[in-house]
């Protein structure tokens, strides 16, 4: 019997050379890793869907097109930051999907510290101050107050953008 005929007659996983066995092992390992990655990806997709669903309901339309890709990328970069932006958009906008896409495009999700960061409590207090009273100050007074708070540069930038947005929204409402 020729070597080719012997190989064809040998059941898979039996016989063969050491090299073939090593290749089979590598293929099996790659397949197993692929399944693990797919399972993790399914969990991430589920979490992404849970975050986006209330915004889709409030907007009356599904997230799609380039906005969907931007949001998925933002979620992969910083899931906690994306969730914070989505919650903020849902609370602030009549069209929360539009605001979320805008926030993600502006990189707001990157500015959010991880949930366990020690300065997150200080940031949230400062954010509350900006939303309740700080936005009413003139820019010089706002910056002076912000400078006295124990925040990092990214947090100050995010609060300054929030200040500018709230000022702009108040200006639109007055017209």
């Amino acid at each position: 019997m020729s070597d080719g005929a012997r190989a064809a007659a040998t059941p898979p996983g039996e016989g063969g050379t050491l090299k073939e066995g090593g290749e089979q092992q590598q293929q099996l390992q790659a397949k197993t890793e692929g399944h693990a990655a797919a399972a993790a990806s399914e969990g991430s997709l589920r979490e992404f869907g849970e975050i986006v669903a209330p915004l889709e309901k409030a907007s009356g339309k599904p997230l799609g097109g380039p906005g969907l890709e931007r949001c998925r990328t933002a979620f992969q970069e910083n899931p906690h930051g994306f969730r914070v932006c989505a919650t903020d958009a849902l609370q602030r906008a009549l069209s929360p999907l539009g605001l979320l896409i805008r926030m993600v495009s502006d990189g707001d999700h990157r500015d959010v510290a991880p949930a366990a960061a020690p300065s997150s409590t200080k940031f949230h207090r400062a954010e509350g101050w900006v939303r309740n009273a700080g936005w009413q100050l003139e820019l010089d007074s706002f910056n002076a107050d912000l400078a006295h708070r124990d925040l990092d540069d990214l947090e100050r930038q995010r609060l300054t953008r929030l200040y500018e947005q709230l000022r702009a929204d108040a200006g639109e409402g007055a017209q």
Side-chain angles (χ1 to χ4, degrees):
M1 183 187 285
S2 72
D3 288 337
R6 186 177 302 124
T10 305
E14 294 183 15
T17 64
L18 184 58
K19 182 177 178 186
E20 290 171 348
E23 288 174 2
Q24 287 175 349
Q25 177 114 10
Q26 288 174 346
Q27 290 173 350
L28 180 61
Q29 183 177 357
K31 193 173 185 180
T32 303
E33 289 171 355
H35 288 303
S41 179
E42 284 178 28
S44 295
L45 286 175
R46 190 175 315 112
E47 183 181 0
F48 178 81
E50 290 170 358
I51 294 169
V52 172
L55 285 83
E56 291 176 323
K57 184 177 180 183
S59 296
K61 60 184 175 182
L63 178 60
L68 175 61
E69 290 307 313
R70 287 184 189 137
C71 288
R72 282 184 179 161
T73 300
F75 177 73
Q76 290 171 347
E77 289 176 358
N78 184 353
H80 176 68
F82 180 77
R83 182 181 294 277
V84 168
C85 288
T87 301
D88 190 29
L90 187 60
Q91 292 172 351
R92 291 179 44 206
L94 294 174
S95 176
L97 283 179
L99 180 57
L100 176 63
I101 293 167
R102 175 65 185 258
M103 293 170 82
V104 164
S105 296
D106 290 347
D108 291 358
H109 63 286
R110 292 184 195 114
D111 297 342
V112 177
S119 67
S120 64
T121 302
K122 293 175 186 175
F123 174 79
H124 289 296
R125 285 184 185 150
E127 183 180 30
W129 167 76
V130 172
R131 289 185 187 284
N132 293 322
W135 69 272
Q136 298 174 27
L137 298 174
E138 294 299 321
L139 184 59
D140 292 341
S141 298
F142 173 81
N143 285 330
D145 192 294
L146 200 58
H148 290 80
R149 296 178 182 268
D150 185 25
L151 302 167
D152 65 34
D153 290 339
L154 286 176
E155 291 169 329
R156 282 193 179 87
Q157 289 172 5
R158 182 157 187 243
L159 291 172
T160 300
R161 281 198 304 269
L162 176 60
Y163 166 84
E164 292 167 350
Q165 181 64 47
L166 292 171
R167 295 283 292 198
D169 290 349
E172 290 173 11
Q175 295 176 356

